[in-house]
Amino acid sequence: MTDLSKIPVTIITGFLGAGKTTLISHLMRNAGGRRLAVIVNEFGSVGVDGEVLRSCAIPDCPAENIVELANGCICCTVADDFIPTVEALLKLDPRPDHILIETSGLALPKPLLRAFDWPAIRSHITVDGVVALADAEAVAAGRFAPDVAAVDAQRAADESIDHETPLSEVFEDQIACADLVVLTKPDLAGPEAIAKAREVIAAEAPRRLPVIEAAEGAVDPRVVLGIGAAAEDDLAARPSHHDGADDHEHDDFETVVIETGPFASPGDLSARVAALIERHDILRVKGYAEIEGKPMRLLLQAVGARIRHQFDRPWAAGEPRRSALVFIAEHDRLDEAALRAGLAG
């Protein structure tokens, strides 16, 4: 049962590019009178998600209530970053009515849940719920095995088969920790893929989970906020591949930030990024770009082969115009010189 004296916190988790920022932007615009605060955890040094959310700032969630943590995964930097940030939000006047946390796409939610047991914050906040976003098309495409036990048995029988990929573990941990799963981009997936994705999630979930669909983050806030899970008191029901480990690192992934000059057009940039994704097995690309002759900054985000871009705002007066892109891939896949050469053409 939720302690009404505590500020509720909703953790928004999900795989790379699942739509976490889009969902939070929607919740900010439809807060229903709640005063919100947002913690954004970037993986990489270019604050794309934080910038996007600050551009959505409204009286119910002013810009000073949006905090960005860019020093690594918050589940790995709890003492250094996360706890002081929460303490700072609790000192705001007026205090927020609800806190949203957007984890990085590579974060494991359970170590973050454990942080809510810290004495400094336990008496003040409670985890209202963990909401896991899953790209319906990606899940249905078979990127995550629906029968993990069968895969593990096959690996045990065949020494030539690699251990489970880190991407699969991240997905499974996020589903296992969730109170609600949101299947995103259902319009791109179609009915058959959505049905398949639901089967995969049901097979991974350690307990029956509600699964809903949402395009462009359009979820009724009454469904997402006010779950009342008190998840910090329910850790045993949320199994993780990393249970029993003292800590974990994201050594299976690496990032490279490339700063470069302007591009001739959005299409020119997209073509170069697409070629690099295919050539180097890039998982995720996001960042800003300067387009020649354009007064506005281009925001680009890519997941796998899917690339989206839009002009998000004018360059500010006196702001240095630059292009900066974050590339994320599995370990030892990124060649910074090759990425720079590919962007330079």
Side-chain angles (χ1 to χ4, degrees):
M1 185 172 178
T2 303
D3 184 340
L4 297 180
S5 68
K6 297 182 178 182
I7 296 176
V9 176
T10 298
I11 297 173
I12 312 290
T13 188
F15 196 61
L16 296 166
K20 299 184 296 296
T21 305
T22 303
L23 172 62
I24 292 177
S25 298
H26 175 79
L27 294 174
M28 288 170 58
R29 293 191 300 269
N30 299 275
R34 295 180 183 88
R35 186 172 181 84
L36 300 180
V38 181
I39 299 175
V40 184
N41 185 209
E42 284 281 8
F43 194 84
S45 60
V46 179
V48 177
D49 294 344
E51 278 281 349
V52 169
L53 292 176
R54 274 188 286 273
S55 72
C56 300
I58 56 175
D60 284 339
C61 188
E64 60 267 24
N65 283 30
I66 302 170
V67 182
E68 185 176 0
L69 302 181
N71 295 325
C73 171
I74 51 179
C75 58
C76 301
T77 60
V78 166
D80 294 335
D81 285 332
F82 177 64
I83 300 297
T85 297
V86 171
E87 290 178 317
L89 291 179
L90 293 175
K91 292 176 183 176
L92 289 173
D93 186 14
R95 292 208 325 176
D97 298 315
H98 203 113
I99 299 173
L100 306 177
I101 299 178
E102 177 188 342
T103 70
S104 89
L106 304 176
L108 302 174
K110 191 165 181 180
L112 179 57
L113 279 182
R114 291 194 187 101
F116 287 86
D117 201 32
W118 280 55
I121 62 172
R122 181 176 176 83
S123 61
H124 301 293
I125 59 178
T126 181
V127 182
D128 180 67
V130 179
V131 179
L133 274 59
D135 183 313
E137 187 179 47
V139 175
R143 298 173 195 170
F144 307 103
D147 189 344
V148 179
V151 174
D152 288 345
Q154 186 181 27
R155 286 201 181 96
D158 187 345
E159 294 182 355
S160 68
I161 297 178
D162 291 335
H163 291 291
E164 188 170 34
T165 66
L167 300 185
S168 177
E169 288 191 8
V170 171
F171 176 76
E172 290 159 16
D173 273 27
Q174 288 170 348
I175 296 299
C177 208
D179 297 289
L180 171 70
V181 178
V182 180
L183 281 176
T184 61
K185 305 167 192 169
D187 48 327
L188 299 178
E192 290 186 9
I194 290 171
K196 177 62 176 176
R198 286 178 175 272
E199 289 179 10
V200 173
I201 289 167
E204 300 293 357
R207 60 196 183 283
R208 185 177 177 84
L209 283 179
V211 179
I212 63 173
E213 301 163 26
E216 299 299 331
V219 178
D220 189 328
R222 294 174 298 178
V223 176
V224 177
L225 307 180
I227 293 174
E232 70 275 16
D233 295 328
D234 189 30
L235 293 178
R238 303 164 191 264
S240 166
H241 286 281
H242 298 265
D243 282 341
D246 291 330
D247 56 19
H248 79 280
E249 300 291 340
H250 289 312
D251 292 339
D252 297 310
F253 305 95
E254 62 180 320
T255 66
V256 168
V257 180
I258 305 293
E259 295 194 24
T260 183
F263 295 87
S265 67
D268 172 45
L269 173 59
S270 292
R272 296 182 192 211
V273 169
L276 290 172
I277 288 172
E278 182 176 3
R279 195 175 306 135
H280 298 281
D281 293 326
I282 305 295
L283 298 172
R284 183 86 159 96
V285 183
K286 56 183 177 179
Y288 310 116
E290 177 188 2
I291 302 299
E292 293 175 357
K294 298 294 184 182
M296 297 188 73
R297 185 182 69 174
L298 188 78
L299 174 67
L300 179 140
Q301 302 202 50
V303 183
R306 188 188 303 154
I307 301 174
R308 300 175 68 176
H309 55 71
Q310 66 186 65
F311 288 103
D312 69 329
R313 66 167 175 82
W315 292 100
E319 178 183 10
R321 298 194 178 196
R322 65 189 183 112
S323 300
L325 298 173
V326 180
F327 291 81
I328 304 176
E330 292 190 61
H331 195 59
D332 292 332
R333 295 291 182 89
L334 292 178
D335 181 334
E336 183 172 347
L339 295 178
R340 289 187 182 280
L343 287 178

